Amino acid sequence: MSDLISSVMPTYARFPLTLTKGEGSYVWDDQGKKYLDYTAGIATCNLGHRPIEVETAVKNQLNQLWHCSNLYTIPNQEQLADLLTSHSAFDQVYFSNSGAEANEAAIKLARRYAQKVKNIDQYEIVTFKQSFHGRTLATLSATGQEKVQVGFAPKMPGFRYLPFNDITALSHLVKPETCAVMLELIQGEGGVNPADQAWIDQLVSICREHDLLMIIDEIQTGMGRTGTLFAYQQYGFEPDIVTLAKGLGSGFPIGATLAKAHVAKAFTVGAHGSTFGGNPLATAAGLATFKEIVEPHFLTRVQKKIDYFWQQLEQVCAQAKVVEEVRGKGFLIGIEVKGQALDYVNQAREKHQLLLLVAGPKVIRVLPPLTTSRAEMDQVINHLSQLLT
Ligand SMILES: Cc1ncc(COP(=O)(O)O)c(C=O)c1O
């Protein structure tokens, strides 16, 4: 007999809450208590919980075919790829099951493009401090935070980290073996740090001059979270590769790696693959989610909500002595506080039945569903005002 508390390995610091139901912006615990969920399942339930269009699409697919290997054409996959490419700067998509897998595919694609298309022996990908790209060996090696790497030595070779938003440091970007850079435009897990436009402009210019691929990790920032479909659209450049997961499936596991045609052609038959990647159920969820987000006016409405929420939030934070800074973009918001962010998150849950997150020890992370209402926003502003002032 074991004296373990749970048969599940303890890799997560879990909140003392068991959620059993979700609808729209709300979740309920196993005692029937209702919470306003401003974590959106960590930027995943962008359309709220169980959006009806996605639920219907998945139910319909459940009645047709659950699994089909990638040895056959999967119509939902083709349609979702058509939609993703017709609404972005990219030409082709590789489907996987998670954010880490989408980034893993991007890393492989960048190396293979250098080695098989350009025929140059390049492999190095430059990433940035405080970044987060996932938990597989390659993606934790790409991540610029030691805490995710401890105990997993040796790291996968071929990554180098530069300081984020540091223009001077970009003079060290290019080495003969460098083939790509990989970054989040707003670092999510690393503390909600938006990239400065001037730094991005310089980065883009160096990458173009030296023929380095730009991989943008939009796993947290994508699918409308920052007010546009992709965050790169607000920075005035086109990446070569973008990765998506989280919000793409409204909670159904799916990852996608989007690339320009000349890069995508490095993934020839047999170059990469997955049993479940792009399976009929996940792509049914992705297709229904994507259709909602690109509906005319959907993102215009989201932008109006974003403007309203930021206006109220900045007023509250201006009066709150415990607040050091409010930063982020759209509905990816970080409130840096003087004390421990976790204390505020715990109080929000216990006193106000409001679910929030942290991003590092000092930052409260607020991730409203894009479908949140004016009344819910007012309620959250009221709670934050009580918590912070
Ligand atoms: C920017 C970013 N990249 C990658 C990942 C990894 O995604 P997943 O947990 O689906 O593997 C995350 C997850 O938080 C993320 O925020």
Side-chain angles (χ1 to χ4, degrees), residues 42 97-103 131-136 139 182 184 186-189 217-221 243 245-246 254 365:
I42 321 188
N97 309 290
S98 67
E101 278 183 66
N103 283 340
S131 59
F132 184 78
H133 297 298
R135 300 285 195 157
T136 62
T139 57
M182 175 159 157
E184 304 153 83
I186 297 105
Q187 293 184 326
E189 303 300 309
D217 178 341
E218 295 247 20
I219 285 159
Q220 193 151 156
T221 54
T243 54
K246 287 188 177 286
I254 183 168
R365 189 167 25 154

PDB file of all heavy atoms in Angstrom, residues 42 97-103 131-136 139 182 184 186-189 217-221 243 245-246 254 365, ligand 1:
ATOM      1  N   ILE A  42      -6.365  28.969 -19.127  1.00  0.00           N
ATOM      2  CA  ILE A  42      -5.068  29.491 -19.600  1.00  0.00           C
ATOM      3  C   ILE A  42      -5.138  29.795 -21.108  1.00  0.00           C
ATOM      4  O   ILE A  42      -4.492  29.136 -21.936  1.00  0.00           O
ATOM      5  CB  ILE A  42      -3.852  28.597 -19.254  1.00  0.00           C
ATOM      6  CG1 ILE A  42      -3.959  27.980 -17.850  1.00  0.00           C
ATOM      7  CG2 ILE A  42      -2.558  29.400 -19.407  1.00  0.00           C
ATOM      8  CD1 ILE A  42      -2.711  27.247 -17.371  1.00  0.00           C
ATOM      9  N   ASN A  97      -0.986  18.020 -31.645  1.00  0.00           N
ATOM     10  CA  ASN A  97      -1.962  17.895 -30.552  1.00  0.00           C
ATOM     11  C   ASN A  97      -1.800  18.891 -29.421  1.00  0.00           C
ATOM     12  O   ASN A  97      -2.589  18.877 -28.479  1.00  0.00           O
ATOM     13  CB  ASN A  97      -1.864  16.493 -29.931  1.00  0.00           C
ATOM     14  CG  ASN A  97      -1.942  15.427 -30.985  1.00  0.00           C
ATOM     15  OD1 ASN A  97      -3.002  15.224 -31.567  1.00  0.00           O
ATOM     16  ND2 ASN A  97      -0.834  14.791 -31.267  1.00  0.00           N
ATOM     17  N   SER A  98      -0.765  19.716 -29.453  1.00  0.00           N
ATOM     18  CA  SER A  98      -0.511  20.614 -28.319  1.00  0.00           C
ATOM     19  C   SER A  98       0.423  21.727 -28.763  1.00  0.00           C
ATOM     20  O   SER A  98       0.995  21.673 -29.865  1.00  0.00           O
ATOM     21  CB  SER A  98       0.161  19.833 -27.180  1.00  0.00           C
ATOM     22  OG  SER A  98       1.455  19.430 -27.602  1.00  0.00           O
ATOM     23  N   GLY A  99       0.612  22.683 -27.845  1.00  0.00           N
ATOM     24  CA  GLY A  99       1.510  23.787 -28.134  1.00  0.00           C
ATOM     25  C   GLY A  99       2.953  23.323 -28.275  1.00  0.00           C
ATOM     26  O   GLY A  99       3.666  23.712 -29.203  1.00  0.00           O
ATOM     27  N   ALA A 100       3.383  22.476 -27.337  1.00  0.00           N
ATOM     28  CA  ALA A 100       4.763  21.997 -27.390  1.00  0.00           C
ATOM     29  C   ALA A 100       5.023  21.271 -28.712  1.00  0.00           C
ATOM     30  O   ALA A 100       6.066  21.446 -29.341  1.00  0.00           O
ATOM     31  CB  ALA A 100       5.040  21.063 -26.214  1.00  0.00           C
ATOM     32  N   GLU A 101       4.050  20.483 -29.148  1.00  0.00           N
ATOM     33  CA  GLU A 101       4.224  19.753 -30.415  1.00  0.00           C
ATOM     34  C   GLU A 101       4.236  20.700 -31.611  1.00  0.00           C
ATOM     35  O   GLU A 101       4.939  20.449 -32.598  1.00  0.00           O
ATOM     36  CB  GLU A 101       3.091  18.746 -30.601  1.00  0.00           C
ATOM     37  CG  GLU A 101       3.294  17.459 -29.873  1.00  0.00           C
ATOM     38  CD  GLU A 101       2.163  16.499 -30.178  1.00  0.00           C
ATOM     39  OE1 GLU A 101       2.020  16.056 -31.323  1.00  0.00           O
ATOM     40  OE2 GLU A 101       1.389  16.214 -29.251  1.00  0.00           O
ATOM     41  N   ALA A 102       3.435  21.769 -31.546  1.00  0.00           N
ATOM     42  CA  ALA A 102       3.429  22.737 -32.648  1.00  0.00           C
ATOM     43  C   ALA A 102       4.800  23.408 -32.735  1.00  0.00           C
ATOM     44  O   ALA A 102       5.340  23.611 -33.824  1.00  0.00           O
ATOM     45  CB  ALA A 102       2.333  23.778 -32.430  1.00  0.00           C
ATOM     46  N   ASN A 103       5.381  23.719 -31.556  1.00  0.00           N
ATOM     47  CA  ASN A 103       6.717  24.334 -31.546  1.00  0.00           C
ATOM     48  C   ASN A 103       7.798  23.340 -31.962  1.00  0.00           C
ATOM     49  O   ASN A 103       8.755  23.695 -32.642  1.00  0.00           O
ATOM     50  CB  ASN A 103       7.027  24.900 -30.158  1.00  0.00           C
ATOM     51  CG  ASN A 103       6.308  26.220 -29.928  1.00  0.00           C
ATOM     52  OD1 ASN A 103       5.890  26.879 -30.879  1.00  0.00           O
ATOM     53  ND2 ASN A 103       6.171  26.615 -28.671  1.00  0.00           N
ATOM     54  N   SER A 131      11.227  33.506 -22.000  1.00  0.00           N
ATOM     55  CA  SER A 131      10.239  32.937 -22.933  1.00  0.00           C
ATOM     56  C   SER A 131       9.692  31.626 -22.365  1.00  0.00           C
ATOM     57  O   SER A 131      10.239  31.064 -21.407  1.00  0.00           O
ATOM     58  CB  SER A 131      10.903  32.667 -24.281  1.00  0.00           C
ATOM     59  OG  SER A 131      11.997  31.772 -24.119  1.00  0.00           O
ATOM     60  N   PHE A 132       8.618  31.154 -22.977  1.00  0.00           N
ATOM     61  CA  PHE A 132       8.115  29.815 -22.663  1.00  0.00           C
ATOM     62  C   PHE A 132       7.625  29.168 -23.949  1.00  0.00           C
ATOM     63  O   PHE A 132       6.758  29.712 -24.625  1.00  0.00           O
ATOM     64  CB  PHE A 132       6.981  29.852 -21.633  1.00  0.00           C
ATOM     65  CG  PHE A 132       6.529  28.467 -21.249  1.00  0.00           C
ATOM     66  CD1 PHE A 132       7.263  27.704 -20.361  1.00  0.00           C
ATOM     67  CD2 PHE A 132       5.396  27.894 -21.824  1.00  0.00           C
ATOM     68  CE1 PHE A 132       6.883  26.401 -20.038  1.00  0.00           C
ATOM     69  CE2 PHE A 132       5.010  26.602 -21.512  1.00  0.00           C
ATOM     70  CZ  PHE A 132       5.750  25.859 -20.609  1.00  0.00           C
ATOM     71  N   HIS A 133       8.190  28.005 -24.276  1.00  0.00           N
ATOM     72  CA  HIS A 133       7.811  27.359 -25.525  1.00  0.00           C
ATOM     73  C   HIS A 133       7.341  25.920 -25.345  1.00  0.00           C
ATOM     74  O   HIS A 133       7.067  25.244 -26.334  1.00  0.00           O
ATOM     75  CB  HIS A 133       8.976  27.419 -26.525  1.00  0.00           C
ATOM     76  CG  HIS A 133       9.351  28.824 -26.901  1.00  0.00           C
ATOM     77  ND1 HIS A 133       8.474  29.672 -27.542  1.00  0.00           N
ATOM     78  CD2 HIS A 133      10.478  29.557 -26.686  1.00  0.00           C
ATOM     79  CE1 HIS A 133       9.056  30.858 -27.741  1.00  0.00           C
ATOM     80  NE2 HIS A 133      10.265  30.812 -27.220  1.00  0.00           N
ATOM     81  N   GLY A 134       7.292  25.416 -24.098  1.00  0.00           N
ATOM     82  CA  GLY A 134       6.759  24.072 -23.901  1.00  0.00           C
ATOM     83  C   GLY A 134       7.650  23.215 -23.023  1.00  0.00           C
ATOM     84  O   GLY A 134       8.671  23.657 -22.509  1.00  0.00           O
ATOM     85  N   ARG A 135       7.253  21.957 -22.858  1.00  0.00           N
ATOM     86  CA  ARG A 135       7.878  21.063 -21.869  1.00  0.00           C
ATOM     87  C   ARG A 135       8.527  19.821 -22.468  1.00  0.00           C
ATOM     88  O   ARG A 135       8.985  18.963 -21.720  1.00  0.00           O
ATOM     89  CB  ARG A 135       6.814  20.607 -20.864  1.00  0.00           C
ATOM     90  CG  ARG A 135       6.161  21.738 -20.099  1.00  0.00           C
ATOM     91  CD  ARG A 135       7.077  22.280 -19.059  1.00  0.00           C
ATOM     92  NE  ARG A 135       6.346  23.107 -18.121  1.00  0.00           N
ATOM     93  CZ  ARG A 135       6.773  23.355 -16.887  1.00  0.00           C
ATOM     94  NH1 ARG A 135       7.885  22.828 -16.442  1.00  0.00           N
ATOM     95  NH2 ARG A 135       6.079  24.133 -16.095  1.00  0.00           N
ATOM     96  N   THR A 136       8.489  19.664 -23.796  1.00  0.00           N
ATOM     97  CA  THR A 136       9.240  18.543 -24.369  1.00  0.00           C
ATOM     98  C   THR A 136      10.716  18.907 -24.278  1.00  0.00           C
ATOM     99  O   THR A 136      11.065  20.058 -24.005  1.00  0.00           O
ATOM    100  CB  THR A 136       8.872  18.322 -25.851  1.00  0.00           C
ATOM    101  OG1 THR A 136       9.231  19.503 -26.576  1.00  0.00           O
ATOM    102  CG2 THR A 136       7.395  18.052 -26.031  1.00  0.00           C
ATOM    103  N   THR A 139      11.508  21.768 -26.657  1.00  0.00           N
ATOM    104  CA  THR A 139      10.870  23.062 -26.356  1.00  0.00           C
ATOM    105  C   THR A 139      11.291  23.606 -24.989  1.00  0.00           C
ATOM    106  O   THR A 139      11.338  24.817 -24.806  1.00  0.00           O
ATOM    107  CB  THR A 139       9.333  22.988 -26.473  1.00  0.00           C
ATOM    108  OG1 THR A 139       8.833  21.957 -25.609  1.00  0.00           O
ATOM    109  CG2 THR A 139       8.900  22.715 -27.896  1.00  0.00           C
ATOM    110  N   MET A 182      13.080  32.447 -32.564  1.00  0.00           N
ATOM    111  CA  MET A 182      11.752  31.998 -32.139  1.00  0.00           C
ATOM    112  C   MET A 182      11.355  32.830 -30.928  1.00  0.00           C
ATOM    113  O   MET A 182      12.138  32.952 -29.974  1.00  0.00           O
ATOM    114  CB  MET A 182      11.837  30.519 -31.780  1.00  0.00           C
ATOM    115  CG  MET A 182      10.583  29.944 -31.218  1.00  0.00           C
ATOM    116  SD  MET A 182      10.689  28.145 -31.467  1.00  0.00           S
ATOM    117  CE  MET A 182       9.597  27.600 -30.223  1.00  0.00           C
ATOM    118  N   GLU A 184       7.800  34.789 -28.544  1.00  0.00           N
ATOM    119  CA  GLU A 184       6.413  35.196 -28.327  1.00  0.00           C
ATOM    120  C   GLU A 184       6.404  36.728 -28.417  1.00  0.00           C
ATOM    121  O   GLU A 184       7.304  37.373 -27.879  1.00  0.00           O
ATOM    122  CB  GLU A 184       5.961  34.822 -26.910  1.00  0.00           C
ATOM    123  CG  GLU A 184       6.099  33.378 -26.513  1.00  0.00           C
ATOM    124  CD  GLU A 184       6.279  33.263 -24.987  1.00  0.00           C
ATOM    125  OE1 GLU A 184       5.272  33.290 -24.270  1.00  0.00           O
ATOM    126  OE2 GLU A 184       7.435  33.150 -24.508  1.00  0.00           O
ATOM    127  N   ILE A 186       4.122  38.635 -27.071  1.00  0.00           N
ATOM    128  CA  ILE A 186       3.854  39.014 -25.685  1.00  0.00           C
ATOM    129  C   ILE A 186       4.174  37.762 -24.879  1.00  0.00           C
ATOM    130  O   ILE A 186       3.460  36.755 -24.980  1.00  0.00           O
ATOM    131  CB  ILE A 186       2.385  39.433 -25.435  1.00  0.00           C
ATOM    132  CG1 ILE A 186       2.048  40.680 -26.243  1.00  0.00           C
ATOM    133  CG2 ILE A 186       2.133  39.744 -23.954  1.00  0.00           C
ATOM    134  CD1 ILE A 186       1.211  40.432 -27.421  1.00  0.00           C
ATOM    135  N   GLN A 187       5.271  37.812 -24.129  1.00  0.00           N
ATOM    136  CA  GLN A 187       5.644  36.626 -23.350  1.00  0.00           C
ATOM    137  C   GLN A 187       4.563  36.387 -22.300  1.00  0.00           C
ATOM    138  O   GLN A 187       4.295  37.268 -21.473  1.00  0.00           O
ATOM    139  CB  GLN A 187       6.979  36.851 -22.671  1.00  0.00           C
ATOM    140  CG  GLN A 187       8.142  36.959 -23.642  1.00  0.00           C
ATOM    141  CD  GLN A 187       9.473  37.083 -22.944  1.00  0.00           C
ATOM    142  OE1 GLN A 187       9.545  37.686 -21.865  1.00  0.00           O
ATOM    143  NE2 GLN A 187      10.515  36.541 -23.540  1.00  0.00           N
ATOM    144  N   GLY A 188       3.938  35.209 -22.342  1.00  0.00           N
ATOM    145  CA  GLY A 188       2.821  34.930 -21.436  1.00  0.00           C
ATOM    146  C   GLY A 188       3.285  34.426 -20.085  1.00  0.00           C
ATOM    147  O   GLY A 188       3.247  35.147 -19.077  1.00  0.00           O
ATOM    148  N   GLU A 189       3.800  33.184 -20.076  1.00  0.00           N
ATOM    149  CA  GLU A 189       4.216  32.560 -18.808  1.00  0.00           C
ATOM    150  C   GLU A 189       5.340  33.348 -18.142  1.00  0.00           C
ATOM    151  O   GLU A 189       5.478  33.336 -16.924  1.00  0.00           O
ATOM    152  CB  GLU A 189       4.697  31.126 -19.048  1.00  0.00           C
ATOM    153  CG  GLU A 189       3.695  30.204 -19.731  1.00  0.00           C
ATOM    154  CD  GLU A 189       2.419  30.046 -18.950  1.00  0.00           C
ATOM    155  OE1 GLU A 189       2.502  29.739 -17.752  1.00  0.00           O
ATOM    156  OE2 GLU A 189       1.333  30.245 -19.531  1.00  0.00           O
ATOM    157  N   ASP A 217       5.719  32.264 -31.832  1.00  0.00           N
ATOM    158  CA  ASP A 217       4.906  31.364 -31.002  1.00  0.00           C
ATOM    159  C   ASP A 217       3.653  32.132 -30.578  1.00  0.00           C
ATOM    160  O   ASP A 217       3.708  32.998 -29.710  1.00  0.00           O
ATOM    161  CB  ASP A 217       5.754  30.933 -29.784  1.00  0.00           C
ATOM    162  CG  ASP A 217       4.993  30.037 -28.820  1.00  0.00           C
ATOM    163  OD1 ASP A 217       3.757  30.029 -28.866  1.00  0.00           O
ATOM    164  OD2 ASP A 217       5.650  29.366 -27.991  1.00  0.00           O
ATOM    165  N   GLU A 218       2.540  31.819 -31.260  1.00  0.00           N
ATOM    166  CA  GLU A 218       1.259  32.498 -30.959  1.00  0.00           C
ATOM    167  C   GLU A 218       0.316  31.548 -30.210  1.00  0.00           C
ATOM    168  O   GLU A 218      -0.902  31.647 -30.320  1.00  0.00           O
ATOM    169  CB  GLU A 218       0.609  32.991 -32.257  1.00  0.00           C
ATOM    170  CG  GLU A 218       1.414  34.067 -32.965  1.00  0.00           C
ATOM    171  CD  GLU A 218       0.723  35.441 -32.990  1.00  0.00           C
ATOM    172  OE1 GLU A 218      -0.185  35.671 -32.165  1.00  0.00           O
ATOM    173  OE2 GLU A 218       1.120  36.255 -33.839  1.00  0.00           O
ATOM    174  N   ILE A 219       0.914  30.639 -29.467  1.00  0.00           N
ATOM    175  CA  ILE A 219       0.096  29.639 -28.760  1.00  0.00           C
ATOM    176  C   ILE A 219      -0.790  30.318 -27.711  1.00  0.00           C
ATOM    177  O   ILE A 219      -1.945  29.948 -27.534  1.00  0.00           O
ATOM    178  CB  ILE A 219       1.029  28.549 -28.192  1.00  0.00           C
ATOM    179  CG1 ILE A 219       1.482  27.679 -29.362  1.00  0.00           C
ATOM    180  CG2 ILE A 219       0.363  27.716 -27.101  1.00  0.00           C
ATOM    181  CD1 ILE A 219       2.732  26.894 -29.135  1.00  0.00           C
ATOM    182  N   GLN A 220      -0.263  31.347 -27.074  1.00  0.00           N
ATOM    183  CA  GLN A 220      -1.072  32.081 -26.086  1.00  0.00           C
ATOM    184  C   GLN A 220      -1.681  33.351 -26.698  1.00  0.00           C
ATOM    185  O   GLN A 220      -2.771  33.761 -26.331  1.00  0.00           O
ATOM    186  CB  GLN A 220      -0.198  32.442 -24.868  1.00  0.00           C
ATOM    187  CG  GLN A 220      -1.001  32.900 -23.705  1.00  0.00           C
ATOM    188  CD  GLN A 220      -0.371  32.616 -22.345  1.00  0.00           C
ATOM    189  OE1 GLN A 220      -0.671  33.290 -21.400  1.00  0.00           O
ATOM    190  NE2 GLN A 220       0.480  31.626 -22.214  1.00  0.00           N
ATOM    191  N   THR A 221      -0.975  33.979 -27.646  1.00  0.00           N
ATOM    192  CA  THR A 221      -1.434  35.266 -28.185  1.00  0.00           C
ATOM    193  C   THR A 221      -2.392  35.129 -29.364  1.00  0.00           C
ATOM    194  O   THR A 221      -3.059  36.098 -29.731  1.00  0.00           O
ATOM    195  CB  THR A 221      -0.227  36.102 -28.679  1.00  0.00           C
ATOM    196  OG1 THR A 221       0.512  35.304 -29.606  1.00  0.00           O
ATOM    197  CG2 THR A 221       0.678  36.519 -27.541  1.00  0.00           C
ATOM    198  N   THR A 243       3.101  29.358 -34.703  1.00  0.00           N
ATOM    199  CA  THR A 243       2.537  28.178 -34.047  1.00  0.00           C
ATOM    200  C   THR A 243       1.292  28.551 -33.257  1.00  0.00           C
ATOM    201  O   THR A 243       1.229  29.624 -32.647  1.00  0.00           O
ATOM    202  CB  THR A 243       3.564  27.508 -33.120  1.00  0.00           C
ATOM    203  OG1 THR A 243       4.081  28.486 -32.208  1.00  0.00           O
ATOM    204  CG2 THR A 243       4.703  26.897 -33.898  1.00  0.00           C
ATOM    205  N   ALA A 245      -2.064  26.727 -30.718  1.00  0.00           N
ATOM    206  CA  ALA A 245      -2.643  25.575 -30.001  1.00  0.00           C
ATOM    207  C   ALA A 245      -3.778  26.159 -29.146  1.00  0.00           C
ATOM    208  O   ALA A 245      -4.631  26.851 -29.705  1.00  0.00           O
ATOM    209  CB  ALA A 245      -1.599  24.849 -29.161  1.00  0.00           C
ATOM    210  N   LYS A 246      -3.743  25.919 -27.825  1.00  0.00           N
ATOM    211  CA  LYS A 246      -4.693  26.514 -26.873  1.00  0.00           C
ATOM    212  C   LYS A 246      -6.050  26.882 -27.479  1.00  0.00           C
ATOM    213  O   LYS A 246      -6.904  26.025 -27.628  1.00  0.00           O
ATOM    214  CB  LYS A 246      -4.035  27.737 -26.228  1.00  0.00           C
ATOM    215  CG  LYS A 246      -2.934  27.345 -25.219  1.00  0.00           C
ATOM    216  CD  LYS A 246      -2.454  28.556 -24.456  1.00  0.00           C
ATOM    217  CE  LYS A 246      -1.424  28.210 -23.402  1.00  0.00           C
ATOM    218  NZ  LYS A 246      -1.959  27.552 -22.238  1.00  0.00           N
ATOM    219  N   ILE A 254      -5.338  20.423 -29.745  1.00  0.00           N
ATOM    220  CA  ILE A 254      -4.921  20.571 -31.149  1.00  0.00           C
ATOM    221  C   ILE A 254      -3.764  21.558 -31.200  1.00  0.00           C
ATOM    222  O   ILE A 254      -3.722  22.511 -30.401  1.00  0.00           O
ATOM    223  CB  ILE A 254      -6.096  21.042 -32.053  1.00  0.00           C
ATOM    224  CG1 ILE A 254      -5.664  21.129 -33.523  1.00  0.00           C
ATOM    225  CG2 ILE A 254      -6.695  22.361 -31.592  1.00  0.00           C
ATOM    226  CD1 ILE A 254      -6.827  21.302 -34.510  1.00  0.00           C
ATOM    227  N   ARG A 365      -2.207  37.420 -13.721  1.00  0.00           N
ATOM    228  CA  ARG A 365      -2.538  37.350 -15.157  1.00  0.00           C
ATOM    229  C   ARG A 365      -4.050  37.252 -15.324  1.00  0.00           C
ATOM    230  O   ARG A 365      -4.695  36.410 -14.701  1.00  0.00           O
ATOM    231  CB  ARG A 365      -1.839  36.144 -15.792  1.00  0.00           C
ATOM    232  CG  ARG A 365      -1.941  36.122 -17.283  1.00  0.00           C
ATOM    233  CD  ARG A 365      -0.988  35.118 -17.936  1.00  0.00           C
ATOM    234  NE  ARG A 365      -0.581  34.011 -17.097  1.00  0.00           N
ATOM    235  CZ  ARG A 365      -0.207  32.830 -17.563  1.00  0.00           C
ATOM    236  NH1 ARG A 365      -0.192  32.598 -18.864  1.00  0.00           N
ATOM    237  NH2 ARG A 365       0.168  31.866 -16.754  1.00  0.00           N
TER     238      ARG A 365
HETATM  239  C1  LIG B   1       3.614  30.648 -25.568  1.00  0.00           C
HETATM  240  C2  LIG B   1       3.449  29.195 -25.273  1.00  0.00           C
HETATM  241  N1  LIG B   1       4.099  28.294 -26.027  1.00  0.00           N
HETATM  242  C3  LIG B   1       3.970  26.976 -25.806  1.00  0.00           C
HETATM  243  C4  LIG B   1       3.174  26.488 -24.795  1.00  0.00           C
HETATM  244  C5  LIG B   1       3.058  25.007 -24.579  1.00  0.00           C
HETATM  245  O1  LIG B   1       1.779  24.577 -24.934  1.00  0.00           O
HETATM  246  P1  LIG B   1       1.235  23.150 -24.411  1.00  0.00           P
HETATM  247  O2  LIG B   1       1.060  23.274 -22.947  1.00  0.00           O
HETATM  248  O3  LIG B   1      -0.068  22.975 -25.148  1.00  0.00           O
HETATM  249  O4  LIG B   1       2.238  22.131 -24.797  1.00  0.00           O
HETATM  250  C6  LIG B   1       2.486  27.395 -23.985  1.00  0.00           C
HETATM  251  C7  LIG B   1       1.670  26.910 -22.848  1.00  0.00           C
HETATM  252  O5  LIG B   1       1.396  27.605 -21.919  1.00  0.00           O
HETATM  253  C8  LIG B   1       2.626  28.778 -24.220  1.00  0.00           C
HETATM  254  O6  LIG B   1       1.996  29.689 -23.470  1.00  0.00           O
END
